[in-house]
Amino acid sequence: MQNPSENTNLQSQPPPEERNYGATAAHVSQGPCVSMSKSDSPRRDYLIAAVLCYGNLINFMDWFIVPGILLDIQKYFELSDGDTGLLHTVFILCYMVAAPIFGYLGDRYNRKIILGAGIFFWSGVTLGSSFINESYSWLFFLSRGLVGIGTASYSTVAPTIMADLFEEGKRTTMLSIFYIFIPVGSGLGYVLAAGMADATEDWHWAFRITPCMGALALVLLILLVPHRTQRRTAAHRALSISGTIRVAAEKPGVHRAAKTTWCQDVLSLAKNWSFVWSSLGLTAMAFVTGALGMWVPLFLYRAQIVQGLVTPCLQESCSSSNSLIFGGITIGTGILGVVAGAEVARRLRKINNKADPLICATSMFISSLCLYIALMVAQTNILSTFIFIAFGELFLSVNWAVVTDILLYVVTPRRQSTAIALQILVSHLLGDAGSPYLIGIISNAIQAKHAHSFQWSFWSMQYSFILCAFVGVFGGCFFLLTSFYIEEDRKEAEQL
């Protein structure tokens, strides 16, 4: 979707209520025809998109610094499996509680200011957390929660700006590129953390790189993103024809959608079954990715000890090779999965209007099977474990851009920030806010019933992880349910 205020030379501006709320015009009389800029505007749109993608990269690097050096942190603060899992849970709880607040603000106030404040805040807290010593583990937990609040501002608002920059044909492609940086940033978080810990023999340095990258993102945001990032409404999209846009004249007889309260927006979204079921499918994805992202390197380390491939780490600085390999797998499968998912969706939509949720359902089922096989072969063949984990992550990554695109075309534009915020809240509340902690608690409970041994440390994690495979199957079922409602909900959103 192209933004009328940023991408066209308009003689008349939308009224204040549309500028602030992105209200969709229900009945629009034809006004003057205004030509669009064909040279500077597209270039500027892609430049803004590049800045947003860079910010998304840093966002997810900060998410996964802790899992990349989890063994070092666990030993430094003397944490059990349950307490270690709680680190990610604190981060996600703060993230998801803050998301609806930023969704409300993003639908009503200047989005550039919200993004800039978020980047500044989370980068500063990340830097500060690198100076916490072992006597203040509670302060480290607090810092992760504050980082979660900062990143919520970006994850909630940035996709809506991206969606406003491009028409529907390009929107899926650009959102795919934007969401490629979820797995790429996640993988680089592992690589950065493990690499800095190995190079400096001090894991604290892992938290001192992304703040510098965040400072650069803030400068780029200030210099390149326009102060006003207006929303492109459904009426504007409908009137954009052959390189021109017709702007409705402000006069009696032009009926615009009334401004709605946050509660009214939420009630409307609750009646949108495509949004509800796809959000639950995303919740299952979040549950699985949260658990995998937190525990896989440690699980692989315990599997290698059982197989006799490595010796137990007793010194302060442990090998981070598993984090480096897993980070590389996450980057590679993430890029391939997101690109493949977007391309398959683009092709299948031409022959099946329900293609998007069916793609998501199929990929969830296959991913669950691959993860289950990976868990079963971990004790005997570590190479096969890496291969099946890679395929499991690949099929999970297929869904990232497709799920967001579903939301953007089944929800009217004036409610999109709120919808994304609610989706973040639900998917994290029931998904990755609890899954790392739950896996850790189950692992603790299993170990408590047996004498301490490396074998039972591995088995306890293996048995805990099986839960993820079953949750993934439920996610596939939720996406199948989405397919029953998606055509009707899309038509309704286009009419508003």
Side-chain angles (χ1 to χ4, degrees), residues 96 99-105 107-108 259-277 279 407 410-412 414-426 492 496:
M96 71 181 192
I101 298 173
F102 287 115
Y104 176 88
L105 297 175
D107 279 338
R108 291 158 174 81
K259 292 183 285 186
T260 56
T261 66
W262 186 82
C263 290
Q264 289 174 323
D265 289 344
V266 172
L267 288 174
S268 176
L269 291 170
K271 298 175 183 177
N272 186 326
W273 287 109
S274 294
F275 171 75
V276 171
W277 290 121
S279 295
L407 181 148
V410 300
V411 175
T412 185
R414 69 175 180 270
R415 296 192 179 108
Q416 284 176 357
S417 285
T418 298
I420 290 175
L422 286 174
Q423 194 172 76
I424 287 173
L425 175 64
V426 173
E492 185 175 345
L496 292 176

Side-chain angles (χ1 to χ4, degrees), residues 118 142 166 336 428:
L142 176 62
F166 303 98
L336 181 59
H428 291 301

Side-chain angles (χ1 to χ4, degrees), residues 63 72 121-122 168 178 193 283 315 330 345 367 413 417:
W63 276 49
D72 288 317
F121 181 76
W122 97 59
E168 186 172 353
F178 181 79
T283 299
Q315 68 270 22
T330 301
S367 175
S417 285

